[in-house]
Amino acid sequence: MRCARCIKNAVYSDPALCKKHFVVSIEETVENTIKKYELIKKRDHIVVAVSGGKDSITLLYILNKLKQKLSFTLTALAIDEGIVGYRDKTLVTVTNFCKQYDIALQIVSYKDSFGKSLDQFLTTTHKNTKPCTLCGAFRRTLLNKYARIYSASKLATGHNLDDESQAILMNLLRGTPQASARLGPQTGVIEDNMFIPRIKPLYFIPEKQIAAYSFMVGFNIEYGECPYAVQAYRGIVGELLNGYEQKHRGAKKNMINLFLKNKKRLMKLSMEQEEKVNYCSRCKEPSATAVCKTCLLLENKQNL
Amino acid sequence: MKVFIERKKQTINMQFTGTVNDLLKKINQNPEAVLVAVNNELVANDCKLKNSDSVKILAVVSGG
Ligand code: SF4
Ligand SMILES: [Zn+2]
Ligand SMILES: [Zn+2]
């Protein structure tokens, strides 16, 4: 198979491109997504949520490359949940990466913010809470809070086309399609000073292409797995979609596009059901409910 | 041919000639969920493999 842009051998099949042109094409897609959806404007300060996995490292790397051309500034924000044997290692990766590329990095821990590491919560007060429920709520709270504290105009995350198509399908299968109104290349529908809008510059890039990009650029990262990660519903839906994609090329992308066409209608649907942003009466962070999920979890009042 | 499957941390030795696609079919891997490297370079799905190649099947999905 030849590269579609030169005479070299393709190292990737769909699209058929050589190494050099594959790398260029990924970066072009990210730039085009940013422009088409106006994800980043001049003088924006972008805080990038970085976990040390291939998605967030790729995102950080590409944004760092684009920052001069599109004139914005960048800070990386890593969350230290306190997961021994896993997060300690990925934080070393993140720290070295940011040093190498001269990117400002802030690390915020559960221990400093909530008094205990995730490991400690799960072995003492929260033995019966699902790890990802606790962890996910805490992370969402801290990302928004610290993005705001570090003066972000946007918070960028490494969500890719697979993440998004999985989320859309899961919402459909659960019978809550209106929940997808919160998806899309930019979220934060609600205008609120306390709430930092989120952007997903890797929105149109399939996970496989991000893995290939990471390999070709040579980030040289050990991608471990969180010991609490379970083969959740999302994994099953992911496999289902990949199985379907194998037979019908473009299935995932078609889903995304169908969703984007209908997003406005979904937003209307969900706005009729949702109240606007309130502030949590305990921590004062934005929340749809009177007390936010993080505070409920901290008080052990919500064991999902 | 030496085939290392990253996800299972398993190396298998097998007699094989054919394309990357044929190999993935044979060892039951979805091409959407893996990358294939031969002698540490990624290759396209129609790449012909030789019995002397050292092949790595890399998992695309990462957790956490
Ligand atoms: S897999 Fe679950 S517990 Fe582990 S980092 Fe992700 S959300 Fe937290
Ligand atoms: Zn080329
Ligand atoms: Zn709260």
Side-chain angles (χ1 to χ4, degrees):
Chain A
M1 198 182 285
R2 280 276 166 85
C3 172
R5 298 196 196 177
C6 75
I7 54 157
K8 283 202 182 129
N9 263 337
V11 296
Y12 200 88
S13 310
D14 182 23
L17 292 170
C18 70
K19 189 167 165 176
K20 178 181 143 200
H21 285 118
F22 181 84
V23 167
V24 169
S25 89
I26 294 288
E27 293 167 4
E28 282 171 355
T29 304
V30 175
E31 191 176 341
N32 290 338
T33 304
I34 291 174
K35 287 183 176 151
K36 180 166 178 203
Y37 291 91
E38 298 177 332
L39 301 187
I40 300 178
K41 293 201 209 84
K42 273 189 182 159
R43 285 187 293 280
D44 260 344
H45 181 60
I46 308 296
V47 165
V48 184
V50 53
S51 68
K54 63 180 185 338
D55 300 308
S56 61
I57 289 286
T58 296
L59 175 64
L60 190 56
Y61 178 81
I62 295 178
L63 288 185
N64 192 47
K65 265 185 132 174
L66 287 172
K67 72 180 178 194
Q68 245 151 7
K69 187 172 172 193
L70 305 181
S71 32
F72 62 90
T73 51
L74 206 62
T75 297
L77 173 59
I79 304 292
D80 180 6
E81 300 92 346
I83 305 171
V84 172
Y86 170 63
R87 187 56 77 212
D88 36 9
K89 286 183 193 150
T90 61
L91 282 177
V92 173
T93 305
V94 170
T95 307
N96 291 339
F97 185 87
C98 288
K99 230 179 247 160
Q100 186 181 349
Y101 292 100
D102 203 15
I103 299 166
L105 168 68
Q106 301 289 348
I107 301 178
V108 176
S109 74
Y110 287 1
K111 182 149 198 176
D112 290 342
S113 305
F114 304 120
K116 273 184 267 193
S117 69
L118 185 67
D119 284 342
Q120 288 168 335
F121 274 111
L122 294 172
T123 50
T124 57
T125 45
H126 288 69
K127 280 185 186 150
N128 299 320
T129 311
K130 281 186 189 155
C132 298
T133 303
L134 196 66
C135 187
F138 287 4
R139 181 185 300 116
R140 256 190 308 281
T141 299
L142 290 186
L143 283 177
N144 184 62
K145 181 172 172 183
Y146 282 89
R148 198 177 64 232
I149 289 175
Y150 297 124
S151 322
S153 44
K154 316 264 168 60
L155 171 66
T157 60
H159 291 95
N160 58 48
L161 186 122
D162 287 70
D163 296 325
E164 289 289 301
S165 53
Q166 286 161 15
I168 293 167
L169 186 56
M170 277 158 62
N171 287 336
L172 268 177
L173 296 175
R174 284 186 186 130
T176 53
Q178 70 277 13
S180 293
R182 289 200 209 91
L183 301 171
Q186 79 270 74
T187 46
V189 208
I190 333 143
E191 300 234 349
D192 188 280
N193 285 340
M194 296 286 279
F195 194 77
I196 307 301
R198 298 191 166 205
I199 56 170
K200 299 169 189 163
L202 305 183
Y203 192 81
F204 290 104
I205 305 185
E207 182 159 34
K208 183 177 167 179
Q209 292 186 18
I210 297 176
Y213 181 88
S214 308
F215 189 93
M216 289 180 210
V217 177
F219 290 139
N220 210 357
I221 294 165
E222 274 280 342
Y223 302 113
E225 193 171 73
C226 174
Y228 301 122
V230 277
Q231 177 60 332
Y233 192 36
R234 179 175 279 275
I236 299 166
V237 169
E239 265 172 36
L240 193 148
L241 277 170
N242 276 343
Y244 203 71
E245 179 81 34
Q246 202 184 349
K247 295 198 185 85
H248 305 275
R249 295 240 114 258
K252 289 184 271 192
K253 190 137 186 233
N254 291 342
M255 250 179 77
I256 295 276
N257 285 333
L258 178 71
F259 156 72
L260 286 172
K261 264 192 212 138
N262 288 289
K263 192 179 165 183
K264 279 214 179 88
R265 246 180 283 168
L266 284 171
M267 277 166 70
K268 247 194 208 154
L269 247 175
S270 87
M271 272 194 281
E272 281 162 15
Q273 290 181 1
E274 262 173 60
E275 290 121 88
K276 31 177 226 270
V277 201
N278 288 311
Y279 298 102
C280 169
S281 59
R282 307 275 202 285
C283 70
K284 314 289 177 230
E285 287 297 312
S287 162
T289 44
V291 179
C292 79
K293 196 170 171 192
T294 290
C295 288
L296 286 176
L297 280 163
L298 279 170
E299 293 164 18
N300 242 324
K301 288 200 177 125
Q302 190 177 25
N303 272 331
L304 291 174
Chain B
M1 177 187 298
K2 235 172 66 183
V3 182
F4 174 70
I5 304 177
E6 183 191 51
R7 189 173 243 170
K8 301 184 191 158
K9 298 198 172 63
Q10 180 192 64
T11 306
I12 38 182
N13 281 300
M14 58 193 282
Q15 288 292 325
F16 181 84
T17 42
T19 65
V20 166
N21 256 334
D22 298 336
L23 176 69
L24 292 178
K25 224 170 259 164
K26 187 161 180 186
I27 58 173
N28 220 347
Q29 297 281 331
N30 186 337
E32 269 304 301
V34 295
L35 290 170
V36 179
V38 177
N39 309 322
N40 274 322
E41 289 288 344
L42 293 186
V43 291
N45 287 344
D46 68 344
C47 176
K48 287 210 176 63
L49 299 169
K50 299 187 295 281
N51 234 331
S52 56
D53 283 333
S54 167
V55 180
K56 273 188 193 158
I57 315 288
L58 307 164
V60 162
V61 184
S62 61

